[in-house]
C-alpha cells in the first residue's frame, strides 16, 4: 500500500469580484457576443426576444 502524498491546491485564490468588476465582465461578454454575431453576418433583426403567450 502506498503512503499518502502531500497534495497542494494549484488553483488561484481570488477575492470576490466587486460590483464594478462584475459590470466590466458583463460588458466584455456582451461585446464579444455582438462582435461574433456581426462577424457571422447576422443582423439585429435575426435575434428577437420572444414574449410569453
Amino acid at each position: 500500500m502506498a503512503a499518502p502524498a502531500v497534495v497542494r491546491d494549484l488553483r488561484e485564490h481570488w477575492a470576490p469580484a466587486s460590483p464594478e468588476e462584475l459590470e466590466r465582465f458583463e460588458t466584455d461578454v456582451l461585446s464579444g457576443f455582438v462582435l461574433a454575431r456581426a462577424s457571422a453576418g447576422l443582423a439585429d433583426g435575426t435575434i428577437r426576444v420572444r414574449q410569453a403567450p
Side-chain angles (χ1 to χ4, degrees):
M1 178 178 265
V6 176
V7 178
R8 193 179 101 207
D9 189 356
L10 298 177
R11 294 176 291 183
E12 293 182 37
H13 295 278
W14 295 21
S18 69
E20 293 81 18
E21 290 172 318
L22 289 175
E23 185 177 343
R24 281 195 306 269
F25 174 74
E26 288 176 355
T27 301
D28 287 347
V29 169
L30 184 59
S31 297
F33 171 75
V34 170
L35 180 61
R37 186 185 67 180
S39 66
L42 299 175
D44 288 338
T46 60
I47 299 174
R48 291 191 180 95
V49 177
R50 289 184 62 186
Q51 297 292 329

